[in-house]
Amino acid sequence: MRQRPGASALNVPKPHFGKSGLRDYLYYQLNQRESIESPHRAPEQSVDQESPCLSSYRIGLIAATQAEADRFVEQVTGAIRQHSSCQASHHFTAYALDQVWRPQQPFDEVHWFQGSTACQAPQEFLACLGTIVHIHLFERSATKLLLGFRTYYWKSADELTAFIASLALSREARGLLELDWESYCAWQPSMGYVATLSSSWGPTPIAAADALLASADTRAPSRSEGEILIIESGIDTNLGDYVDIVNALEQSFEFDFVTTGWVSLNYSGYGLKLLRFRH
């Protein structure tokens, strides 16, 4: 993801289009995926090029008990089915610590859900289960996690499942505003960085952007590593709507963000989800 001075990742130069250059930026995005390590700068590849990490993406949703894991999967897939009748790339599997069977091969991603039990995340075991490990918590924890784990603090289980579903829908859509999913798969946060989410909805692009600006911290902290913006909207969304949203946020935010999104027949208005990894 993007890096600021003083943090550990490489600070890669990026094309600069300026505050009034959103048209050029969107033309650029038509032919380039947006790299997580450096927003607005992408590797030399076209949008319609198939990404190996998306051809068949296996995700393990892990909890202490099978009942919690099953409920986790039902909530995520249910949220996805509201807006997509097929999940060509994503395959979700419920897995619990009380199961005797073991996956024959690691998942592409595993998500540890800290449910109603007091069971702590079995870090070494999770690292063996998946290539990418996400730790989802609902309260602050002093537990030191292994390097490379992606840790999140959520206000509720609904907020967590809504974000996982929205990110999966973005990967399935593979539309204009597409980040480079290869860089998403390869990225590792620095030790101690934790993600939180700001969300908004509005009947128009500007109303959604204004609502997000009212709830999100617009400042650029000295220790921040990544920002992903998901734009959710109906099928009548046009390029001008994306321009209005990105332009409004770009004028106020003191940090860059990677943009992705999806559209649905069943979505009304415009929803924004801003995920930020900060220390």
Side-chain angles (χ1 to χ4, degrees):
M1 288 187 179
R2 191 182 71 71
Q3 186 56 50
R4 298 181 188 81
S8 59
L10 292 176
N11 186 6
V12 185
K14 65 179 184 293
H16 178 68
F17 298 112
K19 297 296 182 184
S20 62
L22 263 295
R23 186 189 315 181
D24 292 335
Y25 169 60
L26 287 170
Y27 283 147
Y28 170 78
Q29 287 242 94
L30 277 169
N31 297 298
Q32 302 288 338
R33 287 195 179 104
E34 192 174 28
S35 172
I36 281 186
E37 287 83 359
S38 183
H40 314 337
R41 181 182 187 277
E44 295 298 322
Q45 55 185 350
S46 63
V47 163
D48 58 2
Q49 179 180 343
E50 183 70 13
S51 171
C53 79
L54 289 180
S55 57
S56 181
Y57 206 65
R58 299 172 60 252
I59 302 175
L61 301 185
I62 319 296
T65 66
Q66 191 63 44
E68 286 181 318
D70 288 339
R71 186 163 55 250
F72 192 11
V73 170
E74 289 172 4
Q75 290 171 339
V76 171
T77 57
I80 293 174
R81 283 195 299 269
Q82 292 180 24
H83 300 289
S84 176
S85 59
C86 64
Q87 299 171 34
S89 300
H90 295 78
H91 305 279
F92 294 93
T93 299
Y95 185 80
L97 300 184
D98 58 7
Q99 294 299 302
V100 296
W101 67 277
R102 293 290 183 265
Q104 294 183 346
Q105 59 183 4
F107 294 104
D108 296 302
E109 285 190 12
V110 294
H111 293 257
W112 167 258
F113 174 73
Q114 186 74 48
S116 57
T117 67
C119 181
Q120 296 296 314
Q123 299 187 47
E124 291 78 7
F125 180 62
L126 291 173
C128 295
L129 282 181
T131 305
I132 304 173
V133 178
H134 305 263
I135 305 294
H136 301 290
L137 305 172
F138 298 101
E139 59 184 24
R140 298 282 170 172
S141 172
T143 303
K144 290 186 177 181
L145 300 174
L146 296 178
L147 181 63
F149 281 15
R150 305 184 191 185
T151 308
Y152 309 77
Y153 288 138
W154 302 99
K155 301 181 185 74
S156 67
D158 289 341
E159 184 184 57
L160 160 61
T161 54
F163 179 80
I164 294 178
S166 188
L167 192 65
L169 286 165
S170 297
R171 279 191 290 218
E172 292 285 356
R174 306 181 197 181
L176 166 66
L177 297 176
E178 182 180 14
L179 63 82
D180 173 32
W181 292 107
E182 290 290 350
S183 70
Y184 169 84
C185 293
W187 177 75
Q188 288 189 345
S190 298
M191 184 70 75
Y193 282 73
V194 177
T196 56
L197 186 72
S198 298
S199 301
S200 71
W201 180 90
T204 66
I206 293 301
D210 287 344
L212 185 65
L213 290 172
S215 63
D217 185 356
T218 62
R219 297 168 299 173
S222 59
R223 304 181 70 182
S224 175
E225 285 202 348
E227 291 81 16
I228 297 177
L229 175 72
I230 303 177
I231 301 176
E232 309 164 340
S233 57
I235 59 170
D236 57 347
T237 304
N238 57 50
L239 269 178
D241 296 334
Y242 290 123
V243 170
D244 289 342
I245 291 171
V246 175
N247 195 31
L249 298 180
E250 197 178 52
Q251 289 176 355
S252 297
F253 285 156
E254 297 178 1
F255 51 86
D256 294 330
F257 50 88
V258 174
T259 308
T260 186
W262 51 271
V263 298
S264 168
L265 277 167
N266 301 322
Y267 201 97
S268 176
Y270 300 83
L272 304 179
K273 288 181 169 57
L274 179 68
L275 187 78
R276 302 185 66 186
F277 280 88
R278 291 178 285 182
H279 194 280

